[in-house]
Amino acid sequence: MDQLDDATRTELEAAAFRRLLEHLDKNKDVQNIDLMILADFCRNCLSKWLVAAAEERGETLDYESAREHVYGMPYSEWKAQYQAKATPEQMAAFEQRQNAKTAQSDPTRQENNS
């Protein structure tokens, strides 16, 4: 990608992002908790990243508008239609991932837990 000019690289990255949103939209059964466990991000993270990107460029984008873009509908509607309650197993896996991240960023915590 280094050989591409900035505009072309930006266009390709934007196209890939749009494709990611399409993929997530076609796979609504993939829950945010699953994404967080496996990839450490979810649809809400994407929304927050959009807001941050707008702010970095001096633009205003509110979180709910960003979420509506990412989810393809108002978040409350998506949540009511597609979001299942996290299972105890999912919550345990999420907590384990978070603890592992904390231990990785703080080696003294890892030593104390041994």
Side-chain angles (χ1 to χ4, degrees):
M1 296 254 309
D2 292 341
Q3 75 279 14
L4 301 174
D5 62 85
D6 287 345
T8 301
R9 190 185 79 246
T10 299
E11 288 173 15
L12 294 175
E13 290 168 347
F17 180 74
R18 286 189 295 272
R19 188 150 181 195
L20 171 62
L21 293 182
E22 288 174 21
H23 182 77
L24 289 171
D25 190 51
K26 290 177 184 173
N27 292 279
K28 291 180 177 79
D29 58 315
V30 176
Q31 296 293 301
N32 282 334
I33 189 74
D34 296 323
L35 290 169
M36 290 298 295
I37 292 165
L38 296 172
D40 201 28
F41 83 97
C42 69
R43 293 168 180 89
N44 290 324
C45 296
L46 292 172
S47 303
K48 291 174 185 176
W49 297 341
L50 278 173
V51 170
E55 288 173 357
E56 289 171 5
R57 288 155 184 78
E59 301 291 334
T60 301
L61 176 62
D62 69 273
Y63 181 53
E64 289 307 315
S65 295
R67 285 208 301 189
E68 187 166 336
H69 179 71
V70 168
Y71 284 92
M73 63 184 70
Y75 175 66
S76 58
E77 186 179 319
W78 191 93
K79 187 176 175 180
Q81 289 183 33
Y82 302 107
Q83 185 167 311
K85 183 169 173 51
T87 66
E89 294 81 11
Q90 287 171 315
M91 292 306 298
F94 177 72
E95 187 175 321
Q96 182 178 12
R97 175 156 178 100
Q98 296 304 306
N99 289 339
K101 282 180 12 186
T102 302
Q104 191 174 39
S105 65
D106 182 3
T108 60
R109 179 184 166 111
Q110 194 170 20
E111 290 171 10
N112 293 336
N113 289 338
S114 302

